[in-house]
Amino acid sequence: MATAERVLLRPVTVGLLLQSLLLLLLLLGCCLRPAAAFPKGCYPSEEEGLKTFRCSNARLTEVPRDIPNDTNKLYLDSNHIPFLPHDAFRDLPLLLELDLSHNTIAGVESGAFRGLAEHLHSLDLSSNRLVSVSKDAFSNLKAKVNLSNNPWLCDCRLQELVRTVELVAGSSGGIVCDSSAQEEHVGKAFLQVIADTDLCNVYKKTTDIAMLVTMFGWFAMVISYLVYYVRQNQEDARRHLEYLKSLPSKQRRSEESSTISTVV
């Protein structure tokens, strides 16, 4: 009888062992998930109690997408990032510092820093390839910005940008005119230029002059056409009168009456 009971209990025991093993594997699968796959050369750390994500010299060509969303300090310096698209940092609501220096950034799309206005207090865009950026790209941004060592075009657009953002202390001298509509500004510190010249007012005057020249050109064309039209009609009228004088008197009177009525 005991032998029969053992034979019956053996399948039940094996089944329980298999269920326990399966449950254990499920638990291990939940707890031992692989670490986040960060781009090569990027790693998270903690500095002075702040969660930091470093991607310096990582040969990046774009802003990484898998940055931890609780990051406080983000270093993307010394890479090959050429452009900052719309919502490039939208998933980083706790970001305090952003270092994008020493890249190849030549364009910043409006809304690139959307979502960072409330917390970000430091933005480094120095040593890039920025020539001209709309002030709208920095809309509502309260961070102190470093724009030095870029090949800036000194014009009204740059003047509006500099007056919109708060520059990092001591960095303004590094904003130098690499090019300008006025040759004498090239090589000068931009703040020195706008201290002597309102570039937006100069642009407005230039635009007004261009409009006046255009209007004068159209006016001259209209006057020329009217003069030509009047002279042409006078010449036709003179020829017609000479023709009438050459006709017999009765026919001439009839033609003259017709001509006068037509003119009237």
Side-chain angles (χ1 to χ4, degrees):
M1 187 70 181
T3 303
E5 289 179 353
R6 287 176 186 173
V7 173
L8 291 172
L9 288 173
R10 189 173 296 169
V12 176
T13 304
V14 173
L16 289 173
L17 286 172
L18 288 174
Q19 288 182 2
S20 300
L21 181 60
L22 181 61
L23 181 60
L24 180 61
L25 289 174
L26 289 172
L27 290 172
L28 288 173
C30 292
C31 299
L32 300 178
R33 291 178 179 174
F38 298 130
K40 185 178 180 181
C42 300
Y43 61 92
S45 64
E46 190 165 325
E47 300 177 7
E48 301 176 350
L50 296 175
K51 293 187 176 181
T52 303
F53 194 74
R54 286 190 174 273
C55 287
S56 305
N57 285 298
R59 298 182 180 180
L60 298 176
T61 56
E62 63 180 3
V63 177
R65 298 180 181 179
D66 298 322
I67 302 171
N69 57 15
D70 59 350
T71 299
N72 303 128
K73 299 170 71 174
L74 176 59
Y75 293 89
L76 298 174
D77 56 299
S78 303
N79 284 289
H80 307 288
I81 300 172
F83 179 70
L84 298 180
H86 183 80
D87 286 337
F89 307 97
R90 65 179 179 180
D91 296 325
L92 303 172
L94 303 180
L95 197 61
L96 302 174
E97 297 181 18
L98 176 57
D99 189 349
L100 290 160
S101 63
H102 297 89
N103 274 279
T104 59
I105 299 171
V108 181
E109 193 172 29
S110 180
F113 304 110
R114 187 189 302 274
L116 303 181
E118 294 300 321
H119 298 92
L120 192 70
H121 62 70
S122 176
L123 172 60
D124 194 345
L125 283 166
S126 63
S127 301
N128 277 283
R129 296 180 183 175
L130 296 171
V131 175
S132 183
V133 179
S134 171
K135 64 178 181 178
D136 296 335
F138 299 85
S139 180
N140 300 319
L141 204 62
K142 299 175 183 177
K144 293 182 179 180
V145 184
N146 189 345
L147 298 172
S148 62
N149 299 321
N150 282 281
W152 289 110
L153 166 64
C154 289
D155 58 1
C156 178
R157 204 177 192 198
L158 180 57
Q159 180 174 311
E160 290 179 340
L161 172 61
V162 168
R163 290 179 175 175
T164 298
V165 302
E166 182 180 357
L167 298 175
V168 172
S171 69
S172 60
I175 304 175
V176 178
C177 299
D178 187 73
S179 59
S180 175
Q182 301 182 42
E183 192 64 30
E184 65 271 18
H185 294 161
V186 176
K188 291 185 178 180
F190 184 66
L191 291 190
Q192 178 187 347
V193 170
I194 60 176
D196 301 327
T197 307
D198 186 344
L199 295 179
C200 292
N201 192 40
V202 169
Y203 174 78
K204 184 176 182 300
K205 286 181 178 179
T206 304
T207 304
D208 290 345
I209 291 172
M211 288 181 64
L212 286 173
V213 170
T214 303
M215 290 176 64
F216 178 78
W218 279 106
F219 182 73
M221 288 177 63
V222 171
I223 294 298
S224 299
Y225 175 77
L226 288 175
V227 170
Y228 169 79
Y229 179 80
V230 169
R231 286 182 178 178
Q232 188 68 28
N233 284 350
Q234 285 180 343
E235 183 66 21
D236 290 342
R238 185 183 63 79
R239 289 175 181 174
H240 192 64
L241 288 173
E242 289 179 355
Y243 168 73
L244 291 177
K245 289 178 182 179
S246 65
L247 295 174
S249 59
K250 187 174 181 180
Q251 184 179 357
R252 184 175 59 197
R253 286 173 188 171
S254 175
E255 292 282 347
E256 284 178 352
S257 302
S258 177
T259 301
I260 292 171
S261 63
T262 301
V263 172
V264 173

